[in-house]
Every structure is written in structure tokens, then in C-alpha cells.
Amino acid sequence: MRVSLQGVHKVYGKSRPTKVLDDVSLTIESGDFVAITGPSGSGKSSMLNLLGCLDVPTFGQVFFDQRDVSKASESVRERIRLQHIGFVFQNYQLLPGLTVRENVALPMQLAGVRRMERLARVQGLLSMIGLEKQADQRIIYLSGGQQQKVAVARALANLPGLLLADEPTGSLDGQSTLQVMEVIREVNRSRSVTTVLVTHDPQVAAYAQRVYRLESGSLDG
Ligand SMILES: Nc1ncnc2c1ncn2[C@@H]1O[C@H](COP(=O)(O)OP(=O)(O)OP(=O)(O)O)[C@@H](O)[C@H]1O
Ligand SMILES: [Mg+2]
């Protein structure tokens, strides 16, 4: 999927408005792998939320392929997210009481994917992240690195065209960081999933084909 921000501004708050993104334009071609860096508070998560259809811009446009989603309703955006976008966050956001398998299958159930297809996809994803043996373990018994791999697998459950990751290795040690990044790189390469990753870690940013820097809401490329 190709995703594009055109002259995007984001202002939070009405009584004391804060401008967080100031005329940001960026096009990410289908299959690209892009990293976004920048100091805390520079607007990285705000930008990712727009790319992920979690939010809409105050001014400007957001395109998925040819479609302008900048004025789409919450319910339309929700459907786009479920069908086309996978998210990975710093703190995993898995359901701790469920098993690995159940967590990965959940988005497919929400999207109404048939049982046989679900089982097959879960199997493929667990093999991709190397956690087939842990399939029936609950999340609470996994290490941080293992949990983040499960989060990547879950993000891919509905075969998204766009994978977004906000500090996906922020809570991981060096070894786990490398493992999770290898999984993300493999997904980007083998499935041509457009990948956008926010990170403070130069070693992580180095996995991307292009690195952009946000500074007080403006983009350097
Ligand atoms: N929903 C919101 N309402 C009001 N202000 C917000 C909201 N979300 C973010 N902000 C403000 O916007 C600015 C940018 O926040 P954002 O989370 O995008 O930064 P960031 O670059 O991701 O920072 P970090 O590296 O710490 O995660 C901050 O000043 C933040 O307080
Ligand atoms: Mg952030």
C-alpha cells in the first residue's frame, strides 16, 4: 500500500491549541521501509497515528493508495485499520491471559476470517516468528522479546498492506531488538508490506531504506 501525507497540520486542543505537526508532506511507496526519528515530543507518534488512520489531520490530506481518508468517519477508519493496517507498539498491548495462538487469531476473528483459514494463517505466522512451541502458552509466561514477536505476528494477521511500529524495540534488550527487527525486515521484504517505524535507536533506524527526522513538528528527509 502507498501512503501519503500532503500538507498535514495537527493541532491538539481548542482552548489552548498546541501545534504538533506543521505542514508535513511525505509519500511512502508500496513496499518501502521508512524509519522516523526525532526528539521526544517532536510529533512522531502523532504522525504515526495519522498514517494509521487512528486520527485525522487538522488541515491537509492523508491518502491510502488513491483514497483520501482525511475526513473519513471513525467507523470507516476502523474498517480500514482492521483490513489494511497492522500496528506494533512499544508495550506490545497483547491480551496477557490469552495464549499466543489466541492473541494472533484475534484480529482475524474480528474481521470474520473463517476458522480453517485462521488456523492456517496462525500456523504460518508462528513459524515465521519461531514460536510454534509456545503456541499454547499464555502471554504472561513469555519474555519481552517473545511478546513483541507475537505482537508483530498479530499485526500481520489480516494480511495488511501497511505495518506501523511505534518504538517496537523500546523495551527490549540488544539481542531481542535484533531478533524483532529481523522479523520485521523479513516481513517487509517477503510480503512487500509497506513499513513505517518510529525509533530513537540508530541501530534500529538502520534497518530502513530511508530515515526521516521530525524536529518540532517539521520533517527532514
Ligand atoms: N491527544 C493529545 N492531546 C493534546 N496534546 C497531545 C496529544 N497527543 C500528543 N500531544 C502533544 O503533542 C506533542 C507531540 O506528541 P507525540 O506523542 O506525537 O510526540 P513523540 O515525538 O511521539 O514523543 P515521544 O518520543 O516522547 O514518544 C507533545 O507535546 C504532546 O504532549
Ligand atoms: Mg511517541
Side-chain angles (χ1 to χ4, degrees), residues 12 20 39-46 200:
Y12 290 117
V20 176
S40 187
S42 59
K44 303 182 298 295
S45 295
S46 302
H200 282 112

Side-chain angles (χ1 to χ4, degrees), residues 154-173:
R154 184 188 55 177
L156 296 170
N158 286 328
L159 314 175
L162 177 62
L163 179 66
L164 301 176
D166 199 348
E167 299 273 3
T169 60
S171 320
L172 303 182
D173 63 23

Side-chain angles (χ1 to χ4, degrees), residues 211-215 218-221:
V211 182
Y212 293 93
R213 186 173 166 81
L214 260 181
E215 196 83 60
S218 296
L219 202 62
D220 277 342

Side-chain angles (χ1 to χ4, degrees), residues 32-38 44 165 167-170 177-178 180-182 184-185 188 195-214:
D32 270 5
F33 188 163
V34 161
I36 296 163
T37 64
K44 303 182 298 295
E167 299 273 3
T169 60
T177 293
L178 292 182
V180 167
M181 288 312 301
E182 289 301 331
I184 291 177
R185 168 150 65 192
N188 170 257
T195 304
V196 185
L197 181 146
V198 167
T199 184
H200 282 112
D201 182 345
Q203 229 188 323
V204 168
Y207 278 81
Q209 294 155 336
R210 279 185 298 157
V211 182
Y212 293 93
R213 186 173 166 81
L214 260 181

Side-chain angles (χ1 to χ4, degrees), residues 48-75:
L48 210 67
N49 289 344
L50 293 173
L51 291 171
C53 245
L54 281 165
D55 199 2
V56 290
T58 311
F59 305 108
Q61 291 166 302
V62 181
F63 290 93
F64 289 105
D65 291 325
Q66 308 306 326
R67 181 173 186 188
D68 182 357
V69 295
S70 52
K71 294 185 178 60
S73 68
E74 172 56 37
S75 66

Side-chain angles (χ1 to χ4, degrees), residues 49-122:
N49 289 344
L50 293 173
L51 291 171
C53 245
L54 281 165
D55 199 2
V56 290
T58 311
F59 305 108
Q61 291 166 302
V62 181
F63 290 93
F64 289 105
D65 291 325
Q66 308 306 326
R67 181 173 186 188
D68 182 357
V69 295
S70 52
K71 294 185 178 60
S73 68
E74 172 56 37
S75 66
V76 167
R77 286 188 282 117
E78 199 176 309
R79 203 173 61 238
I80 294 174
R81 289 200 298 272
L82 188 61
Q83 292 177 343
H84 300 292
I85 305 174
F87 287 93
V88 179
F89 299 96
Q90 175 171 1
N91 52 0
Y92 328 132
Q93 300 198 3
L94 299 165
L95 293 168
L98 298 186
T99 67
V100 168
R101 189 192 302 284
E102 288 164 345
N103 269 274
V104 176
L106 196 60
M108 298 183 226
Q109 282 174 298
L110 293 174
V113 176
R114 289 192 344 268
R115 188 179 138 79
M116 293 307 285
E117 171 72 16
R118 281 206 312 264
L119 293 175
R121 274 197 220 163
V122 169

